[in-house]
Amino acid sequence: MVDTSLTPASARRDGDRGSDFARLSRRIAEEGLLDRRPGYYAVRIGLVAALFAGSWALFAALGDSWWQIPVAVLLAVAFAQVTLLAHDLAHGQIARSRRTSRIAGLLVGNLGVGLSYGWWMDKHTRHHANPNHEEHDPDVAPDLLIWSERQAATAGGISRFIGRWQAFLFFPLLTLEGVNLKVSSFRALRRPSLKNRRIEGLLLGGHVAAYLGALFLVLPPGKALVFLAVHQACYGIYLGCTFAPNHKGMPVLTAQDKLDFLRRQVLTSRNVRGGWLTDIALGGLNLQIEHHLFPSMPSANLRRARPIVRAYCSSLGVEYAECGLIESWGVALRHLHEVGRPLRVGT
């Protein structure tokens, strides 16, 4: 539970809620940081497309060779970068038109990497509305891992078993995340609420057919299966290491926590320090606080928004969490180990 006593009493009054964010939002808008960056995205899309196509071209050129294993790792990086572009599309950072964003997202997500754009967009939208909230954020639902001691108290089945040592199992489990996303994408096709289910299903099926067809056409079955395992494992680890630092180890909210929008987003998010290389590798998600406050802000503008948001939070007495990448993983792992303690004690 978040200790709201750390924030100024005046900022916690009902009459002031929302006004703190409104003032910050006006400042950000005046700086032009919500404006589109077509040049930036043209270059980024071109580079990611070249990486994606180049990886497949290298795969085809090498043919039947164990040198395909490094190519599997390279292709995992390409898949992750395509996924990060799909993330920006879902937030409307690239195109103003929702229709354009959806069409591009379906092609990039469903057909490109085998990830249901509609399912992921719905899931991610709910996460942004209530980050790290036990009842409302699907990213902290106790499906497999335990994210709070409250969840540990009611855990059962495989979650109870894994939860005891989940900090040690976290990275090994990430090797399955790429496959998990694909399975979840296909399972989502059964939901009547998913828009364009037919199109999503056709594109997902097209991805799987093309992906497996390419692997087994170029490689013998044994090497194809090894390539698939290495590629999907590295893809899952990359995505997990990108998203895990953002909220894991930050306060987990419940219905008892009554926070305004600014505090709900800032107090549950963490930035990762680093330069332009970190921005590229993590797709701007290293600046998670700014991204959560302004989801439609182009990722290229997040770094410029950071000093403004940080200074503003300081003036309000709102904690602004920031640390290095390795340290952020350590915080996440320590949190997982701590919340799993009741399960270990109870054995």
Side-chain angles (χ1 to χ4, degrees):
M1 196 181 307
V2 173
D3 183 5
T4 54
S5 65
L6 297 178
T7 62
S10 60
R12 298 199 305 273
R13 291 198 299 264
D14 290 341
D16 288 332
R17 289 185 175 177
S19 61
D20 287 336
F21 175 72
R23 285 190 289 270
L24 175 61
S25 184
R26 284 193 295 270
R27 171 73 188 282
I28 291 294
E30 289 169 358
E31 294 290 333
L33 298 178
L34 299 178
D35 297 345
R36 294 293 186 273
R37 295 287 300 273
Y40 160 78
Y41 275 111
V43 172
R44 180 175 168 188
I45 291 171
L47 292 174
V48 171
L51 175 63
F52 188 80
S55 298
W56 279 118
L58 182 59
F59 169 80
L62 277 177
D64 182 4
S65 168
W66 284 111
W67 285 106
Q68 292 283 17
I69 302 306
V71 177
V73 177
L74 179 64
L75 190 61
V77 175
F79 266 51
Q81 286 295 319
V82 170
T83 305
L84 290 172
L85 273 178
H87 168 270
D88 286 11
L89 280 166
H91 281 296
Q93 296 178 18
I94 300 176
R96 293 183 182 277
S97 168
R98 290 186 179 181
R99 184 171 182 272
T100 299
S101 296
R102 174 169 288 276
I103 292 173
L106 288 170
L107 293 174
V108 169
N110 292 58
L111 186 60
V113 297
L115 174 65
S116 169
Y117 178 77
W119 163 75
W120 184 85
M121 186 174 181
D122 173 70
K123 175 177 178 288
H124 197 61
T125 299
R126 288 185 285 127
H127 158 70
H128 265 266
N130 293 281
N132 262 26
H133 195 292
E134 282 191 347
E135 289 87 8
H136 304 303
D137 185 355
D139 287 355
V140 293
D143 295 330
L144 190 62
L145 300 178
I146 304 300
W147 305 107
S148 71
E149 292 188 6
R150 179 180 172 183
Q151 290 179 351
T154 59
I158 192 170
S159 292
R160 186 174 186 84
F161 175 76
I162 290 179
R164 296 168 184 168
W165 308 106
Q166 59 186 7
F168 300 98
L169 296 172
F170 181 70
F171 284 108
L173 287 172
L174 286 183
T175 62
L176 303 175
E177 182 60 17
V179 175
N180 176 55
L181 290 174
K182 287 176 173 54
V183 172
S184 297
S185 294
F186 276 99
R187 289 176 61 186
L189 297 176
R190 297 181 297 180
R191 301 178 186 174
S193 59
L194 182 68
K195 297 180 180 179
N196 305 310
R197 282 194 296 168
R198 182 180 178 83
I199 295 175
E200 291 233 8
L202 288 172
L203 291 174
L204 284 173
H207 167 82
V208 172
Y211 177 78
L212 294 179
L215 263 57
F216 286 95
L217 181 64
V218 173
L219 300 173
K223 287 180 182 175
L225 291 174
V226 172
F227 184 98
L228 186 152
V230 172
H231 174 235
Q232 293 300 322
C234 291
Y235 176 49
I237 291 173
Y238 192 129
L239 289 183
C241 290
T242 298
F243 286 93
N246 302 338
H247 303 282
K248 309 315 178 195
M250 298 302 291
V252 177
L253 306 181
T254 67
Q256 300 177 31
D257 296 301
K258 305 297 183 182
L259 301 177
D260 64 304
F261 177 80
L262 183 143
R263 289 164 179 79
R264 186 165 68 250
Q265 302 299 334
V266 174
L267 294 175
T268 60
S269 302
R270 179 194 300 111
N271 277 6
V272 174
R273 297 191 190 98
W276 62 270
L277 185 59
T278 305
D279 290 351
I280 293 173
L282 303 186
L285 296 182
N286 47 305
L287 299 165
Q288 190 69 190
I289 294 174
E290 288 71 27
H291 170 60
H292 259 258
L293 287 171
F294 305 98
S296 64
M297 179 184 291
S299 56
N301 290 344
L302 293 171
R303 186 162 292 280
R304 291 172 55 198
R306 174 181 169 272
I308 298 174
V309 173
R310 185 175 182 178
Y312 188 74
C313 288
S314 178
S315 71
L316 294 176
V318 176
E319 184 178 356
Y320 183 99
E322 195 172 42
C323 66
L325 181 59
I326 304 300
E327 183 183 353
S328 71
W329 295 338
V331 171
L333 292 176
R334 286 193 295 272
H335 172 76
L336 287 171
H337 193 62
E338 182 61 28
V339 298
R341 183 187 300 275
L343 298 178
R344 295 190 298 278
V345 172
T347 56

